[in-house]
Amino acid sequence: MWILTIFCLCLHFSATCNAGITSKYVRKPHASVDMPPEHFPSPATFNAPEQVHITQGDHEGRGMIISWVTPLHRNPNVVTYWEAEGEHRRRHKVHAATTSYRYYNYTSGFIHHATLRMLKYDTRYIYELGKHNEARKFSFTTPPKAGPDVPYTFGVMGDLGQTYDSNQTFQHYVSNPKGQAVLYVGDLSYADHYPFHDNVKWDIWGRFVEKSTAYQPWIWTAGNHEIDYAPEIEENTPFKPYMHRYHVPYKASKSTSPLWYSIKRASAYIIVLSSYSAYGTYTPQYNWLEQEFPKVNRSETPWLIVLLHSPMYNSNNYHYMEGESMRVMFEQWFVENKVDLVFSGHVHSYERSERISNVQYNITNGLSAPVKDPCAPVYITIGDGGNIEGIADNFADPQPSYSAFREASFGHAILEIKNRSHAFYTWHRNQDNEPTIADSTWFHNRYWYPHDEHSSSSGLVH
């Protein structure tokens, strides 16, 4: 009887326990509050360039898109740039394509996008916008040429908004010297949270993040708060403000839309998808992705990373299973092509999964549940930038077996690619005004070193 009792207890615990960690850290229970607009004024000089942001301008890493706004006049719309070091620092000029838009009762300033091409790899450049007393100078560094063992470090953020919590997340990232570029998983200004989708919030947000976006390329993903579809005020064009303000090099990867595209950067191949565009069979996004995976050369860019907004795996009751239809469409491709990491936002907390998949179902076996899969990606939800909607603190209980670590806090992540086989990952929570490392793990590349990471045992502070 004693042996039978022990056996039954073991069965009970094996059925109900899992290796995942739900952090016990409790964020201070106060609402996220927007910072006053006067915290982010325009530059003092007349018609000075503002809201400066850069992103990769081609597929290979030798281009840069420089974007900025002049509030009053179309001109000057020229970028002057030169190498920061070396004997031959000849100045080059590129004219921008200039646009503007109206949204309900708002009229934008003049939005400029200039693409710098044929830059040298791994080189620091100075660039200047405007002229005379309104001229402003910035700099950026191009990535190294793509290669299997080229180290590179990405910051990862999402759902930032412009609250005091957003500012804490953003300042923590800016103060971290490791980041070289940002993988941004959607939801930028949250202008649609306000009456008539107050587009002034787009201007404020552009000034807010400029201290990073003007110096490091941010790789943009569109979220639901970029849709800005509002037929009740006769705004019937989805993504209008976002598409005018944030250009990406989608044509370089043969995409038909700026909402999905790919780039190579150092040892990473990054695929950006749109959770809020059609992705069913034979749609443009579906067809593009189907043709994109065979183009990835893991001998050149071993790390295959996907960015999207709505999580495919999420154990928070907020937005639970909203990414399920995209998972059904694309997860099989992720597994077959050995995607390493999938970053998403949307849920305003942090979660990292095990390597799992749910592709075993067919009509005869009736199996449908996430299981450990060494060919599958790790899914990371990092919609914890600090936006006006606040924290998502309603995790499912018990924690499902596919969830390795989760915490209802705001923060940012750092992904340090070391070589073709290993990358070190840390998630930094906002705690007592310090970016505390709350979760960390080594990732093993699925193509070159597909060994178990024992990821459920990580985390430095719980």
Side-chain angles (χ1 to χ4, degrees):
M1 180 64 69
W2 179 79
I3 294 174
L4 180 61
T5 301
I6 295 297
F7 177 72
C8 291
L9 285 171
C10 289
L11 282 179
H12 171 76
F13 283 113
S14 66
T16 58
C17 292
N18 58 72
I21 296 169
T22 299
S23 172
K24 295 179 181 179
Y25 175 78
V26 178
R27 178 181 168 271
K28 294 177 181 179
H30 60 77
S32 297
V33 177
D34 267 357
M35 292 175 288
E38 53 267 25
H39 278 35
F40 307 105
S42 294
T45 52
F46 178 80
N47 200 47
E50 62 172 74
Q51 304 172 50
V52 182
H53 54 275
I54 65 175
T55 194
Q56 187 162 312
D58 66 353
H59 196 254
E60 305 298 318
R62 294 187 63 190
M64 195 73 77
I65 299 174
I66 312 290
S67 302
W68 71 98
V69 175
T70 50
L72 300 173
H73 295 294
R74 176 179 292 269
N75 292 313
N77 67 338
V78 175
V79 179
T80 303
Y81 68 99
W82 60 94
E83 291 182 40
E85 288 139 16
E87 297 179 2
H88 306 290
R89 289 182 281 178
R90 187 165 65 90
R91 296 193 172 211
H92 307 268
K93 293 182 183 291
V94 174
H95 285 264
T98 301
T99 185
S100 62
Y101 72 93
R102 287 187 56 81
Y103 191 97
Y104 189 56
N105 59 357
Y106 168 90
T107 301
S108 74
F110 295 95
I111 305 168
H112 311 280
H113 304 282
T115 302
L116 283 49
R117 306 182 190 277
M118 302 302 293
L119 302 170
K120 294 181 181 179
Y121 287 116
D122 203 12
T123 300
R124 183 169 174 262
Y125 286 87
I126 308 295
Y127 68 99
E128 184 176 81
L129 305 173
K131 60 183 181 180
H132 306 311
N133 65 333
E134 77 268 17
R136 301 181 69 201
K137 288 183 182 179
F138 307 92
S139 66
F140 63 83
T141 300
T142 53
K145 185 178 180 179
D149 293 306
V150 175
Y152 201 79
T153 299
F154 293 99
V156 191
M157 285 185 282
D159 298 68
L160 199 55
Q162 47 197 280
T163 70
Y164 287 100
D165 289 306
S166 310
N167 189 50
Q168 192 175 73
T169 301
F170 181 63
Q171 296 297 340
H172 287 166
Y173 174 71
V174 170
S175 66
N176 190 322
K178 293 181 177 180
Q180 296 170 271
V182 172
L183 305 177
Y184 194 82
V185 294
D187 284 359
L188 285 65
S189 72
Y190 284 81
D192 67 343
H193 182 81
Y194 303 89
F196 311 117
H197 294 224
D198 183 5
N199 269 229
V200 172
K201 291 290 184 179
W202 279 103
D203 295 316
I204 297 169
W205 196 82
R207 294 193 287 266
F208 164 42
V209 295
E210 187 187 77
K211 70 169 66 175
S212 175
T213 60
Y215 298 92
Q216 289 186 5
W218 285 38
I219 312 306
W220 301 108
T221 309
N224 57 301
H225 286 279
E226 278 69 73
I227 299 173
D228 278 307
Y229 175 70
E232 68 278 8
I233 56 175
E234 299 184 355
E235 288 296 343
N236 299 310
T237 304
F239 301 102
K240 184 200 279 188
Y242 174 77
M243 300 271 266
H244 276 82
R245 292 172 181 270
Y246 293 90
H247 281 197
V248 297
Y250 69 99
K251 292 180 181 178
S253 57
K254 305 296 190 273
S255 170
T256 57
S257 169
L259 300 175
W260 57 88
Y261 62 100
S262 70
I263 60 168
K264 292 190 293 188
R265 194 164 188 87
S267 50
Y269 198 103
I270 300 163
I271 293 176
V272 177
L273 298 177
S274 175
S275 298
Y276 304 99
S277 304
Y279 46 76
T281 306
Y282 307 132
T283 60
Q285 185 170 197
Y286 177 98
N287 289 341
W288 175 82
L289 185 59
E290 184 178 34
Q291 295 165 18
E292 185 66 15
F293 278 122
K295 298 177 183 177
V296 183
N297 179 1
R298 304 296 281 271
S299 295
E300 181 189 39
T301 50
W303 291 91
L304 182 50
I305 299 170
V306 173
L307 310 181
L308 48 86
H309 187 65
S310 187
M312 292 183 175
Y313 287 97
N314 159 41
S315 68
N316 202 303
N317 289 314
Y318 289 95
H319 303 305
Y320 182 63
M321 292 188 77
E322 285 187 16
E324 178 66 5
S325 58
M326 181 176 269
R327 184 198 66 76
V328 170
M329 294 305 302
F330 292 156
E331 185 182 27
Q332 183 73 51
W333 291 350
F334 290 2
V335 174
E336 290 173 353
N337 291 281
K338 299 188 177 185
V339 170
D340 293 291
L341 301 166
V342 177
F343 289 103
S344 60
H346 200 41
V347 178
H348 303 153
S349 61
Y350 172 74
E351 185 165 16
R352 174 175 54 82
S353 81
E354 304 284 358
R355 292 199 181 275
I356 41 89
S357 72
N358 189 7
V359 297
Q360 61 180 337
Y361 174 80
N362 65 51
I363 198 168
T364 57
N365 66 25
L367 298 174
S368 181
V371 295
K372 290 284 186 74
D373 188 337
C375 294
V378 168
Y379 294 87
I380 295 176
T381 302
I382 193 157
D384 55 357
N387 66 85
I388 191 67
E389 294 177 338
I391 203 77
D393 57 356
N394 188 10
F395 285 119
D397 188 22
Q399 184 174 5
S401 60
Y402 62 78
S403 175
F405 182 87
R406 59 187 189 174
E407 179 174 305
S409 295
F410 293 138
H412 74 278
I414 298 290
L415 175 66
E416 300 176 63
I417 296 175
K418 303 296 186 179
N419 51 39
R420 74 184 68 192
S421 60
H422 287 75
F424 186 60
Y425 171 84
T426 51
W427 175 67
H428 304 243
R429 79 155 71 100
N430 297 352
Q431 176 183 347
D432 299 328
N433 297 316
E434 296 295 334
T436 304
I437 296 177
D439 182 33
S440 67
T441 189
W442 283 96
F443 289 131
H444 297 162
N445 186 270
R446 291 301 91 192
Y447 184 87
W448 287 102
Y449 193 72
H451 296 275
D452 184 15
E453 294 123 328
H454 305 291
S455 61
S456 61
S457 62
S458 71
L460 298 180
V461 181
H462 303 310

